[in-house]
Amino acid sequence: VWAAPVLQVFLVVYVSILGQFMRRSGGQERVIGTLLGTVSGQTIEVSTCFPVPHSESDEQVAVDMEYHKSMSELHQRVNSREVVVGWYATGGAITEQSS
C-alpha cells in the first residue's frame, strides 16, 4: 500500500528564506537555494537551507553548482545526517524557469 510522504519544515527554514528574499541584490527578482534535512521512511524533515548564487535571463537560469556543492559539503561536515532534500525559488510569479 502506497502512503504519501510526510513533510516537516522547521520554522527557521521559512524565516531564513524570507530573510534571503528581503536582502536580495538590487535587480534580482528571486532567490534560489538548497533545502537540507533528513529522510526517515516516509518522513522528510527540512531543517535548514542556504541560498545559491544564480544569474538569469528571459530564457534560462544559471545556478552556481560549484557553490552549491561546496556549501553542501560544508553542511555535511557539521551535520552528517543532513542531506539535500530539495530546492526552493522565491518570486512574484511562476515562470518556465521556476521548475
Side-chain angles (χ1 to χ4, degrees):
V1 175
W2 182 84
V6 175
L7 178 65
Q8 298 174 336
V9 181
F10 288 21
L11 180 60
V12 69
V13 175
Y14 294 114
V15 173
S16 180
I17 293 170
L18 177 60
Q20 294 162 19
F21 182 75
M22 298 303 291
R23 294 186 310 273
R24 71 193 185 282
S25 301
Q28 187 179 25
E29 293 188 23
R30 65 177 160 175
V31 176
I32 295 174
T34 303
L35 300 170
L36 299 168
T38 58
V39 179
S40 178
Q42 290 295 105
T43 302
I44 302 166
E45 191 174 81
V46 182
S47 53
T48 192
C49 64
F50 61 87
V52 177
H54 71 283
S55 60
E56 59 186 290
S57 66
D58 291 338
E59 297 168 6
Q60 71 175 4
V61 176
V63 176
D64 187 340
M65 291 305 292
E66 285 301 315
Y67 181 88
H68 161 78
K69 182 178 177 185
S70 295
M71 287 297 290
S72 296
E73 289 171 355
L74 288 172
H75 277 274
Q76 190 77 43
R77 288 184 191 173
V78 173
N79 188 343
S80 61
R81 289 184 46 226
E82 288 184 342
V83 296
V84 173
V85 294
W87 296 268
Y88 64 89
T90 66
I94 297 175
T95 65
E96 289 183 22
Q97 289 82 20
S98 296
S99 58

